[in-house]
Amino acid sequence: MARLNPSHVTRSIDAAARLIETELPGWWWNCGHCALRNGASLYVPGSSQIRVNYPSAGIGPDFGPRPEHLRLLHDPKWGKLFDGGFHCDRAATVALAMLAVFLEAKIALTFVQPKASANKVIRSNK
């Protein structure tokens, strides 16, 4: 069965990466493709799921978690969700998988930071 990709949605991995890096600076992401799947994952810096596969690699201060990341990871209600990361492995394209995990994370952030999100809404009754 062929999967359909909406024509008005980007197929550009670069565009999806730029969106993630602009909106969620410092977050770790990866993506992949094989014959059966297109997938992506997105993690808050400091997540226990981030593993470095070679011993000489260190995570310098510029790449470590900032206070706002630690607040997400230690949130009593939502910390486990953010620590586990956001994943999609059955998208039509890699770019769509990246957009799916980005949207999951942004939606989750509205539950953790409802006041901050509400302040960003443009009010038409002013």
Side-chain angles (χ1 to χ4, degrees):
M1 177 164 104
R3 293 187 225 178
L4 299 176
N5 184 35
S7 61
H8 60 280
V9 176
T10 185
R11 288 179 180 239
S12 169
I13 294 170
D14 289 339
R18 208 167 27 257
L19 176 67
I20 290 169
E21 292 169 354
T22 300
E23 292 292 318
L24 299 171
W27 285 46
W28 291 50
W29 60 270
N30 62 49
C31 61
H33 164 79
C34 70
L36 300 175
R37 295 184 181 178
N38 293 298
S41 295
L42 181 61
Y43 303 95
V44 174
S47 165
S48 66
Q49 303 303 305
I50 298 171
R51 292 184 179 84
V52 179
N53 292 331
Y54 44 98
S56 63
I59 299 175
D62 293 342
F63 299 106
R66 296 190 303 247
E68 62 268 24
H69 301 139
L70 295 174
R71 278 192 295 277
L72 293 172
L73 294 169
H74 296 125
D75 186 88
K77 186 173 182 179
W78 301 100
K80 285 185 181 182
L81 173 71
F82 284 98
D83 186 55
F86 301 90
H87 313 282
C88 175
D89 70 353
R90 298 207 183 260
T93 68
V94 172
L96 285 177
M98 294 171 73
L99 292 173
V101 296
F102 168 76
L103 290 172
E104 277 187 59
K106 290 294 277 189
I107 290 167
L109 284 168
T110 65
F111 289 105
V112 176
Q113 304 166 333
K115 290 180 185 175
S117 296
N119 290 337
K120 292 180 182 177
V121 174
I122 299 171
R123 307 220 185 262
S124 61
N125 61 354
K126 286 189 176 183

